[in-house]
Amino acid sequence: MTKKIHLGCIADDFTGATDLANNLVRAGMRVVQTIGVPETPLDAEVDAVVVSLKSRTIDPAEAATESVRALKWLQDQGASQIYFKYCSTFDSTAQGNIGPVTDVLMAALGIDFTIATPAFPDAGRTVFKGYLFVGDVLLNESGMQDHPLTPMTDPNLVRVLQAQTQHKVGVIDYKVIAQGSAAIRGRIDALRQEGVGIAIVDAVSNADLMQLGAALKDLPLVTAGSGVAIGLPANFGITANPQCAALPEPKGLQAVISGSCSRATNLQVADFISKGLPAFVLDPLLLLAGDGAVRDALAWAGPKLAAGPVLIYSTAAPEALKRIQDQLGVQQAGELVEQALARIAKGLVELGVGQLVVAGGETSGAVVQALGMHQLQIGAQIDPGVPWCAGRGMHITLKSGNFGTPDFFTKAFEQIA
Ligand code: ADP
């Protein structure tokens, strides 16, 4: 029988799940990421499991049901602390799903308090006085205001979360964090007295997250981006150990699939093309006519793969994206493109691709499902938040839209080699 796990994590998308797993691995935990809620008990000896859901933009009630199903499975594997992971840019729609999922997890655990913070300083996400910064600018100036599915137009996380949850939302600000773990625990007690159910927590450095982590030792539920994870393994007596990130040898051909329209991904696509490497753009309108565009993309890629990585992308700048969305509808356009890219990924693997970079959270979800991956082993990171993973005999990396340096698509293959 496998040993009990310490930390049970529920991630609201697939790239977010690898981002979290990456931070746990770097802090010394052995981690497996599952695609969806497993049907059977865990068959691996690890310290943490990250169950990846695709629940960020689905109906809030459905997201709640799936998250509770994940919670029950993690509890059955012995998890003593639960971590609900969302995006470091707090991606949500007007209905949720960060608030509704947190509410239902709190109810299922029978608790009246948790924290919420997307802070991830290594990736430039900092929270100050409850306001979220991305790099040097506020969330709503970061490009996230143009996100296809979850446009973020308010950087004040108390307001954003309060609109989605039945609990009262408060703040643990940087002054308390600066005083260390005991002060943070004191503030948590005071907030509970005031009837606050969820506290947005400031953090601008990894040192802040380490103090926070120690203060969260006995909290049954943590909700956060991936940053908070760096301070939790120590609570279980675990310290950093590079062995945790070992993966099998990579093999097979190399390709990049990009369905993210974020600013960072637009730069990464431009960088790949500027290096003279082969790139094929997928036109969403052609997809309306059937599978012809998918077949064209694969026919284009086939003869090129032997020479090195190819890129197939639907990534578009905000104006072009808006034109398509106005014509097709946001959800319909998203679904159509995701499914097409997923079929292309499957086709590429059939052509011999064994090292695949996928850009875009929703896109990654669709690709991983199409490839029939159920479990990923987490390896070394390429950039903050993005590790190589291994599963089903191949290597894959799932890059959340806003992550990675401009040369990410080529750097990923250099690193794995
Ligand atoms: P990110 O990680 O940047 O948020 P996602 O993959 O999660 O990226 O979301 C991007 C969404 O935009 C997906 O649903 C994708 O199918 C959709 N999309 C991608 N390219 C286009 C396009 N050219 N037109 C319309 N929608 C698109």
Side-chain angles (χ1 to χ4, degrees):
M1 168 167 162
T2 28
K3 217 175 89 221
K4 284 182 174 180
I5 60 171
H6 295 304
L7 197 60
C9 311
I10 305 165
D12 71 350
D13 89 336
F14 291 58
T15 49
T18 43
D19 170 14
L20 172 61
N22 180 52
N23 276 351
L24 294 170
V25 166
R26 284 178 356 118
M29 278 187 159
R30 297 160 302 164
V31 184
V32 152
Q33 171 179 348
T34 71
I35 311 303
V37 183
E39 302 293 340
T40 52
L42 179 68
D43 180 22
E45 194 152 307
V46 290
D47 304 301
V49 176
V50 184
V51 175
S52 33
L53 303 179
K54 205 170 176 302
S55 57
R56 183 170 296 167
T57 55
I58 63 174
D59 173 63
E62 219 181 299
T65 307
E66 270 301 283
S67 303
V68 169
R69 223 159 64 78
L71 169 70
K72 296 253 148 53
W73 185 85
L74 289 164
Q75 286 176 319
D76 287 345
Q77 314 315 309
S80 56
Q81 187 170 43
I82 301 296
Y83 193 127
F84 168 40
K85 154 74 175 72
Y86 35 75
C87 191
S88 67
T89 40
F90 217 67
D91 299 18
S92 42
T93 65
Q95 293 77 40
N97 291 331
I98 296 176
V101 169
T102 302
D103 287 358
V104 82
L105 291 176
M106 287 173 76
L109 286 161
I111 57 170
D112 65 357
F113 183 86
T114 186
I115 60 129
T117 182
F120 186 13
D122 277 351
R125 277 56 159 170
T126 53
V127 180
F128 185 74
K129 292 204 162 273
Y131 284 78
L132 175 57
F133 288 80
V134 179
D136 296 327
V137 298
L138 285 166
L139 174 65
N140 58 321
E141 300 167 16
S142 68
M144 276 305 295
Q145 68 273 28
D146 300 316
H147 190 278
L149 306 176
T150 54
M152 299 302 289
T153 54
D154 187 352
N156 182 306
L157 299 181
V158 176
R159 270 196 306 258
V160 173
L161 186 56
Q162 192 63 81
Q164 299 176 17
T165 174
Q166 291 168 3
H167 292 277
K168 186 172 159 193
V169 181
V171 176
I172 301 178
D173 82 1
Y174 73 100
K175 285 184 226 147
V176 175
I177 302 296
Q179 290 165 40
S181 304
I184 299 170
R185 273 194 291 269
R187 178 74 177 138
I188 289 176
D189 291 342
L191 286 171
R192 283 172 105 146
Q193 297 289 325
E194 292 168 25
V196 167
I198 311 176
I200 301 288
V201 185
D202 282 0
V204 298
S205 66
N206 284 347
D208 289 348
L209 293 177
M210 296 310 287
Q211 292 295 345
L212 178 63
L216 301 179
K217 189 167 194 283
D218 300 317
L219 206 67
L221 173 69
V222 172
T223 89
S226 64
V228 171
I230 67 172
L232 297 181
N235 292 337
F236 302 98
I238 291 171
T239 51
N241 164 17
Q243 280 303 85
C244 304
L247 291 185
E249 282 289 301
K251 46 185 202 282
L253 303 167
Q254 302 175 328
V256 183
I257 297 266
S258 178
S260 157
C261 296
S262 72
R263 222 177 253 183
T265 306
N266 270 285
L267 288 174
Q268 287 153 353
V269 168
D271 180 83
F272 190 90
I273 295 170
S274 77
K275 288 176 170 142
L277 295 168
F280 182 99
V281 61
L282 196 65
D283 178 349
L285 292 180
L286 291 181
L287 295 173
L288 287 173
D291 242 15
V294 169
R295 280 197 301 274
D296 287 350
L298 290 169
W300 169 87
K304 296 195 168 54
L305 282 164
V310 304
L311 163 66
I312 297 176
Y313 69 102
S314 67
T315 303
E319 317 78 62
L321 174 67
K322 182 148 193 325
R323 270 200 305 280
I324 298 291
Q325 291 182 328
D326 288 346
Q327 278 185 59
L328 303 180
V330 174
Q331 287 291 346
Q332 291 83 335
E335 184 71 9
L336 191 68
V337 174
E338 281 167 38
Q339 288 314 318
L341 290 174
R343 287 199 298 281
I344 290 171
K346 195 156 181 271
L348 287 172
V349 171
E350 283 159 10
L351 288 170
V353 167
Q355 302 169 47
L356 184 64
V357 172
V358 188
E362 299 291 331
T363 307
S364 293
V367 166
V368 160
Q369 274 168 348
L371 295 179
M373 289 177 154
H374 300 296
Q375 197 166 305
L376 293 175
Q377 192 189 339
I378 309 298
Q381 82 168 24
I382 305 158
D383 264 330
V386 207
W388 272 110
C389 309
R392 285 216 105 175
M394 64 178 286
H395 285 64
I396 190 165
T397 177
L398 310 175
K399 189 196 77 77
S400 167
N402 279 303
F403 283 173
T405 53
D407 62 347
F408 182 87
F409 293 164
T410 44
K411 181 165 69 177
F413 297 115
E414 283 158 20
Q415 200 231 44
I416 205 178

